[in-house]
Structure formats: structure tokens, C-alpha cells
Amino acid sequence: MATTKAVTKVRVDGMIICIFVSVLLAGLWMRSFTYSEEFVCRAFNSRTFGVWSGVGRIVLTLHPQSAGDVGINYLGPWDQSYRWQTTQQRMDRATQAMLGFGAGTLSNGQFRLMIPYWFPVLFAASLVAACGISPLLFWLSRIQVTSNREQQP
């Protein structure tokens, strides 16, 4: 009985976290069409790694050489003005994309992996559905078993 309560608590907590993540990602998705933001991470003696948000996608970037301060640095927000839109279009031409996904190396040596926002939003929503549907199906099967027992003479 205690195990069932623990599993139920984990499922409910997982659903709440996934709903929060879905709402947060959906909000960031809508914001990405007006503002660009970037987090740049760098450890001692390592390459710089960036997470960039803009124009409906998340872009993970691995820079060819170390640059900037050690730690996590926030750059932005930048207004999606004409200049940033043309920069984004140049990157899109350099990095082939299919359904919003893409990967490639730019002329300056940066490796970019593009992930459209709809993918993590749908992934989090599917986790919510999985956490919510399995207890519902279990509950419905218990009702059916109970009703079958009552019908037997």
C-alpha cells in the first residue's frame, strides 16, 4: 500500500513539473519571435558552449575556441530587429534544417544544433499524458473487475 502511494505521489509530482515546463517552454517559444537570448557556459580550459533562443527554436552552439569568462554568462535580450533576422537567415542557410531540426558547422567553426520549440513542448506534454493516463486506465480496469464480480451469481 505504501508503495502504491509513493508511485502515485511521484506521478502527480511528475505531472505538475511537466505541466510547468510545458507552460514555460510555450511562453519562451512565443517570446522567441520578438526577443533573442543566449546563455554562454565555459569551464576552465574548455570550449565555450552556448544555448541560444530565437525565431521559434533553441540553438545549441559549440564554439571552436575558448572565449569569454569562466562560468555561465547571460547575453541578451535582443530585439528581433531586421539585423537579427538577417543573421538568423544566414545561419539557417549554413545549417540545413528539416522540420526545424538541423545541425552543421558554420564558416567561423561553430557547430550548431537547432531544435524547434515544438519538440520539447510536445515531449513534456506527452510525459504529462503518460503520467495521467496510466492511473486512469488502472482505475477503469478496477471498476470493470468490481462490476464483473458483482454480476456473477
Side-chain angles (χ1 to χ4, degrees), residues 33-36 78-88:
F33 289 101
T34 54
Y35 294 101
S36 288
W78 300 292
D79 187 19
Q80 288 284 19
S81 63
Y82 176 74
R83 183 172 65 101
W84 285 104
Q85 289 175 357
T86 56
T87 302
Q88 175 64 35

Side-chain angles (χ1 to χ4, degrees), residues 14-15 18-19 22 122-137:
M15 280 179 47
C18 288
I19 288 170
S22 294
L122 286 180
F123 183 74
S126 66
L127 289 177
V128 170
C131 289
I133 289 175
S134 60
L136 178 63
L137 292 175

Side-chain angles (χ1 to χ4, degrees), residues 12-28 120-121 124-125 128:
V12 170
D13 291 346
M15 280 179 47
I16 290 169
I17 290 169
C18 288
I19 288 170
F20 177 74
V21 168
S22 294
V23 170
L24 178 67
L25 284 171
L28 288 173
V121 170
V128 170

